[in-house]
Amino acid sequence: MPELPEVETTRRGLALKLEGRRITRIEARRPDLRFPLPKNFAKSIQGRRVEALERRAKYILIRLEGDLVWIIHLGMSGRMVMRQGWPNDIGAHDHVIFGTDEGWAVTFNDARRFGMMDLVAGSKLAAHKLLAGIGPEPLDDAFTAKVLLEALKGKKAPMKAALLDQTVVAGLGNIYVCEALFRAGIHPEKLAGQVKPAKLELLVPAIKAVLTEAVKAGGSSLRDYVQSDGELGYFQTRFRVYDREGEACVTCKAGVRRIVQSGRSTFYCGRCQK
DNA sequence: CACACAACCTGTCAGC
DNA sequence: TGCTGACAGGTTGTGT
């Protein structure tokens, strides 16, 4: 469930062992993930020093020496696992493995293979088709109720769908949209363009709070999510509505409901969210 | 253009 | 125990 907090947790874990190090070995064990890997993928990365690890939306950006950026998306099931020493137990879904001059190895494992990787010149990063058009970072000060109001103006999509739209705001996924709408008391089926500014004044801080708490907790451990150091995240114990169909609302004790919107489960409290 | 929905791929779990 | 269907964190492409 890599949403922003899980991607950020992964980025931080990787940064500890990669920044400043040289990638001495890399193997792509198949030619494609969701899309084909770029030409000379492994060859282009091998031997370069890692300058910095950054994140934009749900993408991890590894800046390599020589003005090259390695773009990584974890998709639905992608994970990065770090270990000391080259792995000797490589699994069927361990698609990319790379190691540093200090002997750390990172395995990109992705059963469903919805993940993606690409390489782009640093000077062309912002224009890359995966990143162009992505909305504001929700944790930036520039993401305000006023900005969100403008982005939602005239939208007839329900709030649930609007917040999942990465061009409206970056990094939210199914879980944190549900959680943020609950915290702000906004019904997920409310049409985005009709939500009152006063509600958005509650929603923006709610988004920032739920993401900040989740990052602080090290991401969520829903299903099999593992941080880069192998520790399970533990934010899932704090979900208030997600995956809690039929349970009592933490605020009013009414039953949490589950509906399907644009093909995905939405959880909400029909009494607290209007 | 905006929006809804299917598709991509594999694993897991509930129910029979 | 084995089979089937529903469902899972995301994004893109197609159709209306």
Side-chain angles (χ1 to χ4, degrees), chain A residues 72-109:
Chain A
I72 300 173
H73 195 294
L74 302 175
M76 288 277 256
S77 55
R79 288 172 290 171
M80 292 285 194
V81 180
M82 281 193 315
R83 71 209 300 168
Q84 180 62 231
W86 195 260
N88 55 12
D89 56 347
I90 298 169
H93 304 304
D94 294 338
H95 304 309
V96 177
I97 306 170
F98 61 100
T100 75
D101 51 2
E102 286 185 329
W104 284 90
V106 178
T107 298
F108 173 76
N109 174 284

Side-chain angles (χ1 to χ4, degrees), chain A residues 12-81:
Chain A
R12 291 180 184 185
L14 292 175
L16 292 175
K17 301 302 180 196
L18 296 184
E19 279 182 345
R21 306 320 319 166
R22 195 170 299 281
I23 295 176
T24 52
R25 181 177 176 185
I26 173 166
E27 289 181 10
R29 308 188 53 81
R30 56 176 302 133
D32 61 321
L33 295 170
R34 171 162 190 171
F35 304 116
L37 293 170
K39 292 263 183 275
N40 301 317
F41 171 71
K43 198 175 172 184
S44 300
I45 293 169
Q46 179 144 358
R48 295 200 198 226
R49 209 173 65 88
V50 175
E51 292 176 343
L53 272 90
E54 300 171 4
R55 179 190 58 73
R56 174 75 172 108
K58 299 169 192 169
Y59 293 90
I60 291 170
L61 307 175
I62 303 182
R63 288 198 182 264
L64 301 169
E65 68 179 335
D67 192 44
L68 191 66
V69 182
W70 182 1
I71 303 175
I72 300 173
H73 195 294
L74 302 175
M76 288 277 256
S77 55
R79 288 172 290 171
M80 292 285 194
V81 180

Side-chain angles (χ1 to χ4, degrees), chain A residues 1 7 14 23 25-26 36 45 49 109 123 131 157 165 169 185 203-204 215 224 226 241 252 261 267 270:
Chain A
M1 126 192 68
V7 177
L14 292 175
I23 295 176
R25 181 177 176 185
I26 173 166
I45 293 169
R49 209 173 65 88
N109 174 284
S123 56
L131 300 175
D165 182 347
V169 56
L203 178 59
V204 166
V215 168
D224 54 2
V226 184
V241 285
C252 77
Q261 291 179 286
F267 300 88

Side-chain angles (χ1 to χ4, degrees), chain A residues 94-152:
Chain A
D94 294 338
H95 304 309
V96 177
I97 306 170
F98 61 100
T100 75
D101 51 2
E102 286 185 329
W104 284 90
V106 178
T107 298
F108 173 76
N109 174 284
D110 183 10
R112 293 179 74 178
R113 226 182 308 132
F114 289 167
M116 31 191 142
M117 293 189 186
D118 202 2
L119 295 172
V120 64
S123 56
K124 295 179 179 171
L125 180 63
H128 191 281
K129 69 173 185 197
L130 292 174
L131 300 175
I134 286 185
E137 283 293 321
L139 296 178
D140 277 1
D141 290 343
F143 179 61
T144 62
K146 188 178 174 187
V147 166
L148 184 57
L149 177 67
E150 196 61 32
L152 298 180

Side-chain angles (χ1 to χ4, degrees), chain A residues 7-8 10 67 93 107 112 127 152 182 184 198 213 230 233 251 257 265:
Chain A
V7 177
E8 177 60 18
T10 299
D67 192 44
H93 304 304
T107 298
R112 293 179 74 178
L152 298 180
F182 172 76
E213 288 169 29
T251 302
R257 299 182 193 169
S265 290

Side-chain angles (χ1 to χ4, degrees), chain A residues 199-242:
Chain A
K199 282 288 197 180
L200 299 183
E201 294 283 357
L202 296 176
L203 178 59
V204 166
I207 289 170
K208 291 174 187 282
V210 73
L211 293 178
T212 300
E213 288 169 29
V215 168
K216 199 170 176 184
S220 147
S221 64
L222 185 65
R223 303 250 185 290
D224 54 2
Y225 183 72
V226 184
Q227 296 177 43
S228 50
D229 60 358
E231 292 290 306
L232 285 175
Y234 54 87
F235 188 75
Q236 72 168 354
T237 57
R238 300 191 202 167
F239 292 157
R240 297 183 190 173
V241 285
Y242 184 82

